[in-house]
Every structure is written in structure tokens, then in C-alpha cells.
Amino acid sequence: MARDTVDRRSFLKAAGTATVAATTTAGCLGSLSGDSGGGGGTLVYSRGDHPTNYDPQQTTSGEVAKVTNQIFDQLIQFAPGSGGQLSDSLATEYSLDGTTATLTLQEGVTFHNGEEFTAADAKATIRRFTDSEYDYYLGDENRSGYGPFTFGSWVKSIDASSDYELSIELTQQYAPFLRNLAMFAAAILSKKQIESLGSNPSGQVKLGTDPKGTGPFQFDELDNSNQRVRLAAYGDFWGDGPNVDEVVFSTIKQNSTRVSSVIEGESHITDNLDSQSSKQVQDADTATLASKNGINVGYMAFNMARKEEFRDKKVRQAISYAVNTEAIVNQIYEGFASQADQPLPPDVLGHNVNLDPYPTDKDKASTMLEEAGASDIEFELATFSNPRGYNPSPVQTANQVKSDLEEIGLTVNINQFSTFSSYLDYTAQGKHDACFLGWYTDNADPDNFLYVLLDPKVDMDAVPDGQDWVSFDTEGYSTLNVGGWANTEFMETVREGQSTYDEAKRKELYRKANEIAHDEAPWIFVDYAQTLRAVNEAVESDSYTVSSVGGPYLETVTLK
């Protein structure tokens, strides 16, 4: 995989053509317009939820990533505003040859605890996440579902004998590996901080409340009572910026209130907008709505490990025909998304253009359920409450599904969660019958959708003959697959795709995998959403870049 030859400093200097976006924050901070006097100041980023743990190895939450991407750096990064183009970060040179990844590291970079960054920190970071023999291993009960695929079981050995040269030997050819090194979960931690927390996995949890990275901002205050996180500019940051003195992440769960906060100048940037709040921004004189084609998917997963009726492909297909995803996209999301027809969004290698969304056909759905002997199913539909970009109106969407399925005689009991973190815990434990979720790409690679979300990551022999699901307690199971789906033909196809470096071959394999998923219907494929941001006029024009991969890149932001 060829790397971008433009270094990070040069790229940021040339980033002035990017689209500007806006967000929202808590009104208690007062009006922000003009606070900085042309430099410095407090940048306020409003969001819909407030996690309390900011360890990038303990979460799958994008709400955490927004913060940790300011505190930590990865070995490689995605160029701001790009569709996944790789660029220098802590590594200035990198290559993948067969099973060997080789990286040359920056010199003179320091962590927020004063320690110099070396290859030993990268090695400790990887081992903490993946190596159960390491004294400071995070522990299976504490590490996130990213562990098995960020570095995962593919890392055979790590040579960090030279301070500024890193060599990683893989167990097999693994095409997405360099891209994985740029994901938020691949953030490089301080070896000194890891070791200071002790060898007990429970002690390692403390890193999430006082993280020390090499990024443009350092952790200053975690204010759980007011649901805010405050970051301070790091004066010894190795790159360009930051251009503000501090960043405050403030939680406002109501979409309209968050957007009003941006419009009224009480915050600068917000995300996860629904159609109504997006129109609020479009009609305002003091804020701008910025959009970019997103690389994401929203879906409703059937939990085959829990609900026996969902193990029948005909039942899953019938429900897919009954749910009016066109109405969800056009009426609830009001055109800020398009109907999904497969797990992989457009503009990603392997998206199968020959597939179409399931048309709404309730008569066909009823007939199929009768043929399957499943006309009176009752099930729980778990949903989050706070907006997500791929599902900006989750409760309204859940009610649409409930209404559609009641028309064909099914009973849907909506189980609504008030916080996204508790919702993710619930679905990770497989307690749901069905649930809404979605995914923003971590690396713009097809593997990041098809393998990460729909391969259970268990040994193929663990799937009983004639069965296309496994239980959540199967050895090696990844709970990012919230449906328990384990289709061996699909698994063989995506695993072959991740082990070949021939792009044309990968494309055909992923097209096939998408066709299998479309026909087997482990999800209701709901939508591909635009990436939307609201930006207050106090943000200097073109200093904030909307990115569909990585970010947000807040070190570039300048306030008027």
C-alpha cells in the first residue's frame, strides 16, 4: 500500500481549501464570538453523549474517539479531509512487504508526561492490547472489541531494539494493516504510564481518566457531574498547531438545543445532526452547515444467538421486506442519507453496484412468515436515544419499524437506553433480540466493515455444520458482531480478501461477500448517511476540515 509522500506539516499548511463546519456546546460558557481576539481562546465542541473513560483501547465509541484523537497520535494518520489517504504522523516512513511492516519514527517527540517517544512505547502499546503474556496486558474483560482486528492475532513479533526503527512481523499477509495503524484504537500510549499503573488489569483502567499522549492537546479535566471534558493546548506538540488555548467537549443530548447553542454563539462545532437541526443551521446567519459524503452504514441487527426465529433466513428476509427503509431515509432523515443495500457503503473498494435495497412489500413479507411458521413473533428492539450520524433520529426510527411490523402481525417491544455507553454494554453482552447500530469507517478499507462487523472471528471449526450462527461465549468471538451471524462462506471470502494484496482480486472477493450478506440478511440495511457538521461564524473560515475518516482535526482550528 503506497504511502502519501506529503508530510503532515506540509499538508496542514495546504489545507486551506477544506469545507468549514460548525458544532454546539453548553450555554453556561457564554458567547464565544470574538473571545480569542484573533488567536488562542477556548474552542467548544458539543456532542450528544458523555463517556467517562478515555482509554482508546477500552472503547468502541466514536464519542470517545473525538476526544482521544486530540490527546494521542497514531504511527500513521489519515490526511484531514481525505477519503482515507494515509499521511505521516509519529512515523515518517512506513511500508508493508509480505508479512513485515517497517516504520521509521520521528525523533524529539514527547508525551504529555515529559517522556520521549520511542519504539518501546509503540511495542508496549501493542502488547497491552493484544499480548496476554505481557505483564501489563489490559485483560480480556477490559479491552475493547477493537483488539482482535486493530493489531490482533496477526502480530507475531515486534522489534523495537532501535529507538526510532520499528519492525512488526505478522502471522500472515494482512492487507489493511497500515491502515489499521491509523485508526483511533491504534493510538500510541506511554510505556511509562502503562507500567506505572501496575500489572493488575483493573489498575490499567485508570489510564482512561488521565490519558497521556503525544497529541496537540493534553487532558486537563474530566467533569462528569457537568458532562464536560477540558483539554489544554500542549506547548511541546511536535506538529503544527494547536491554534487555540483549550478545547471543551460539552454534552447536549437534544439535537435542537445543541444546534441552537452553535447558532447563538455558545459553542463552535457540533455533529450527529438530524434533518430538523440541519435545517436550523441552513436557515441561520451565524452558522454554516458543512457536509461530506460519509463512509458509514446504519443497520438493525438480528441477534440469532438469542432469538431462535431469527436463525431462519426467510424470517430475516421477510422482516427486511416489511420495514420501509425508504420512508426512514426520506421522511425521518429527510434526504440527508440514502438507502443501504449491503454492509459496505459506496466509494469503498468492493461495493457491489448490482445490489438494490429490499423493496417494501408487506404482502410478500406476510407470505414468507407464514411459510416459515413464524407469523406471530414478538421481540425486543433495543435502541439508543442520543443521535448518531448514521441514525440521527433513533427513537423515531424504532417507532417506524414497530409500526411496519405490526402491520404484518409482529409485536415489537422498544427498549430505549438513555446513554450510548450503557447501550453498547448491553448489546456487547448479547442481551438484545434486535438492535440498531451503525459504523463509521476506521480506515476506509472494506475489511473494516465486512470482517469487523459480520465475521465472528472464531475458528471456522467452531461453527457447527449446517448452522450459520454461534453463541457470544464461543472462544474468540468478537461482540462487534452483535447478531451472532457466522456464515462460513462469507467468513472464508472476507478472510481471503484480507490476506491478498492484489486490489482487483480483493474487489471481486468483497463484491461476493456483499452479495452473500444482502441475500442472507443478517441485518436490515438502513442507510448510508452524509457527514454533517454545524459551525459557528467565530471559527476562522477554512480552518476546520470535515473528515469522513479520522479526526476531528481540532489542532487546525483558529477562532476569530
Side-chain angles (χ1 to χ4, degrees):
M1 194 176 296
R3 75 174 182 86
D4 183 3
T5 56
V6 180
D7 68 27
R8 186 176 186 281
R9 295 170 186 260
S10 299
F11 183 90
L12 292 178
K13 290 176 182 176
T17 58
T19 305
V20 178
T23 110
T24 59
T25 185
C28 60
L29 295 174
S31 178
L32 299 169
S33 300
D35 279 355
S36 64
T42 298
L43 171 66
V44 183
Y45 194 113
S46 292
R47 53 187 182 153
D49 196 27
H50 175 76
T52 57
N53 184 334
Y54 292 90
D55 183 336
Q57 294 186 348
Q58 292 188 60
T59 182
T60 63
S61 172
E63 297 292 354
V64 172
K66 293 169 193 174
V67 177
T68 58
N69 281 345
Q70 316 311 315
I71 300 168
F72 296 97
D73 293 304
Q74 290 77 18
L75 293 168
I76 307 169
Q77 74 159 354
F78 298 109
S82 74
Q85 185 179 23
L86 296 180
S87 182
D88 297 353
S89 186
L90 293 177
T92 58
E93 297 180 13
Y94 38 91
S95 63
L96 179 61
D97 183 10
T99 59
T100 304
T102 305
L103 302 98
T104 299
L105 308 182
Q106 294 222 40
E107 300 183 31
V109 174
T110 59
F111 284 95
H112 302 153
N113 58 9
E115 293 295 308
E116 183 182 4
F117 159 71
T118 68
D121 296 295
K123 182 174 182 177
T125 295
I126 296 171
R127 295 193 69 193
R128 178 180 185 255
F129 210 9
T130 65
D131 186 357
S132 61
E133 300 300 315
Y134 183 46
D135 286 344
Y136 306 98
Y137 177 59
L138 187 57
D140 291 340
E141 70 279 9
N142 292 319
R143 72 170 185 161
S144 79
Y146 276 82
F149 70 88
T150 305
F151 307 115
S153 57
W154 297 287
V155 175
K156 182 178 181 181
S157 62
I158 308 166
D159 182 358
S161 55
S162 173
D163 281 351
Y164 304 110
E165 297 292 332
L166 183 69
S167 178
I168 304 172
E169 187 66 25
L170 307 180
T171 58
Q172 65 169 64
Q173 288 197 165
Y174 181 59
F177 190 68
L178 291 183
R179 290 187 167 276
N180 283 13
L181 295 182
M183 297 188 331
F184 95 91
I188 299 301
L189 314 179
S190 161
K191 181 175 184 286
K192 181 176 181 180
Q193 183 177 31
I194 290 172
E195 295 183 350
S196 72
L197 296 172
S199 57
N200 188 324
S202 63
Q204 290 289 325
V205 174
K206 296 178 182 177
L207 187 149
T209 58
D210 187 27
K212 305 293 184 184
T214 60
F217 296 96
Q218 56 189 330
F219 206 73
D220 185 41
E221 181 186 16
L222 176 60
D223 184 354
N224 292 328
S225 60
N226 291 307
Q227 297 196 330
R228 294 193 300 180
V229 176
R230 186 181 299 273
L231 310 180
Y234 182 50
D236 291 328
F237 177 52
W238 57 269
D240 286 353
N243 300 325
V244 295
D245 298 323
E246 61 183 8
V247 173
V248 172
F249 287 90
S250 180
T251 303
I252 304 176
K253 294 188 177 183
Q254 187 81 21
N255 278 0
S256 59
T257 307
R258 282 205 326 280
V259 166
S260 294
S261 179
V262 171
I263 294 171
E264 294 166 7
E266 296 169 343
S267 60
H268 295 109
I269 306 172
T270 196
D271 52 26
N272 288 334
L273 309 181
D274 59 17
S275 57
Q276 181 180 358
S277 58
S278 296
K279 289 177 180 178
Q280 281 180 260
V281 182
Q282 289 176 318
D283 293 339
D285 295 328
T286 57
T288 303
L289 178 69
S291 65
K292 187 179 183 69
N293 286 338
I295 307 177
N296 58 66
V297 63
Y299 58 89
M300 187 187 109
F302 300 101
N303 187 356
M304 300 167 219
R306 179 176 173 87
K307 192 69 176 175
E308 185 173 351
E309 292 92 333
F310 292 158
R311 298 169 190 171
D312 188 333
K313 166 183 168 180
K314 186 171 285 188
V315 170
R316 302 192 301 266
Q317 289 177 329
I319 294 176
S320 297
Y321 280 115
V323 174
N324 192 341
T325 58
E326 184 177 13
I328 292 172
V329 167
N330 291 335
Q331 297 174 25
I332 299 178
Y333 304 166
E334 296 191 25
F336 288 104
S338 58
Q339 274 181 283
D341 47 35
Q342 59 194 287
L344 196 62
D347 303 325
V348 179
L349 180 75
H351 178 83
N352 193 327
V353 296
N354 296 321
L355 300 176
D356 294 314
Y358 275 79
T360 304
D361 189 336
K362 290 186 171 62
D363 290 339
K364 183 172 185 176
S366 296
T367 299
M368 294 178 73
L369 289 175
E370 289 176 8
E371 292 172 352
S375 298
D376 58 350
I377 300 174
E378 179 175 354
F379 68 91
E380 170 223 27
L381 173 56
T383 185
F384 44 93
S385 300
N386 56 300
R388 310 292 296 168
Y390 49 75
N391 188 340
S393 303
V395 177
Q396 193 175 353
T397 305
N399 285 326
Q400 176 72 46
V401 171
K402 177 182 174 71
S403 175
D404 284 333
L405 297 186
E406 284 178 344
E407 288 186 35
I408 60 169
L410 304 190
T411 301
V412 178
N413 302 310
I414 297 173
N415 183 8
Q416 180 180 336
F417 285 72
S418 60
T419 67
F420 194 58
S421 55
S422 62
Y423 180 73
L424 290 179
D425 288 341
Y426 184 78
T427 57
Q429 294 173 51
K431 294 181 177 180
H432 58 286
D433 291 340
C435 69
F436 285 128
L437 271 172
W439 193 255
Y440 291 100
T441 187
D442 294 302
N443 62 7
D445 191 277
D447 185 78
N448 189 239
F449 290 89
L450 300 175
Y451 179 75
V452 169
L453 300 178
L454 285 168
D455 188 309
K457 303 167 196 66
V458 301
D459 190 286
M460 208 82 72
D461 294 336
V463 184
D465 289 341
Q467 184 170 304
D468 66 354
W469 64 275
V470 293
S471 63
F472 279 42
D473 60 3
T474 305
E475 183 177 357
Y477 186 82
S478 169
T479 56
L480 289 173
N481 180 340
V482 293
W485 192 53
N487 181 288
T488 53
E489 183 184 10
F490 178 89
M491 293 162 65
E492 288 170 350
T493 304
V494 297
R495 292 181 187 192
E496 184 179 355
Q498 69 183 198
S499 65
T500 180
Y501 296 164
D502 184 318
E503 187 167 296
K505 184 177 181 181
R506 290 191 84 206
K507 180 178 181 179
E508 289 308 308
L509 288 167
Y510 291 126
R511 283 168 55 90
K512 176 184 176 183
N514 278 296
E515 184 175 3
I516 294 169
H518 175 274
D519 293 343
E520 293 290 328
W523 300 342
I524 292 177
F525 307 105
V526 179
D527 75 303
Y528 309 122
Q530 292 183 38
T531 299
L532 301 172
R533 301 289 183 265
V535 185
N536 181 266
E537 62 182 356
V539 174
E540 190 70 52
S541 176
D542 297 337
S543 71
Y544 172 62
T545 304
V546 182
S547 296
S548 54
V549 188
Y553 298 92
L554 300 184
E555 73 274 18
T556 69
V557 175
T558 301
L559 301 179
K560 296 178 182 177

